[in-house]
Amino acid sequence: MDKQVSTDVLIIGGGPAGMLSAIYLDCFGISSIVLERRYEISQHPKAHELSARSIEILVQLGFSLE
């Protein structure tokens, strides 16, 4: 069965940039959908670090790095 969904922003990829984008958009009341090709969380993630800018944004959003 096909299901039609509406959103303001479509984010391709559930890596650090995609997930951070979804979180940030939500803070502004903008709906988004993240499309990820994998069905499960990887046991061996490919993203081993976040950029300095991504960390700055996470801190501004209230996330703790401890």
Side-chain angles (χ1 to χ4, degrees), residues 34-47:
V34 178
L35 289 182
E36 173 57 39
R37 66 179 168 178
R38 294 176 183 82
Y39 294 107
E40 300 173 346
I41 296 173
S42 175
Q43 300 227 356
H44 304 286
K46 305 288 188 266

Side-chain angles (χ1 to χ4, degrees), residues 11-25 32 34 36 58 61:
I11 300 169
I12 309 297
M19 297 305 287
L20 184 59
S21 297
I23 293 168
Y24 207 68
L25 288 167
S32 66
V34 178
E36 173 57 39
L58 285 169
L61 293 171

Side-chain angles (χ1 to χ4, degrees), residues 2-66:
D2 291 336
K3 182 177 179 183
Q4 195 169 25
V5 179
S6 178
T7 187
D8 294 323
V9 178
L10 178 63
I11 300 169
I12 309 297
M19 297 305 287
L20 184 59
S21 297
I23 293 168
Y24 207 68
L25 288 167
D26 185 63
C27 289
F28 291 101
I30 300 170
S31 68
S32 66
I33 294 175
V34 178
L35 289 182
E36 173 57 39
R37 66 179 168 178
R38 294 176 183 82
Y39 294 107
E40 300 173 346
I41 296 173
S42 175
Q43 300 227 356
H44 304 286
K46 305 288 188 266
H48 299 287
E49 61 184 60
L50 292 172
S51 71
R53 182 62 185 137
S54 292
I55 293 171
E56 289 174 4
I57 293 169
L58 285 169
V59 169
Q60 288 174 353
L61 293 171
F63 287 86
S64 174
L65 300 177
E66 297 177 27

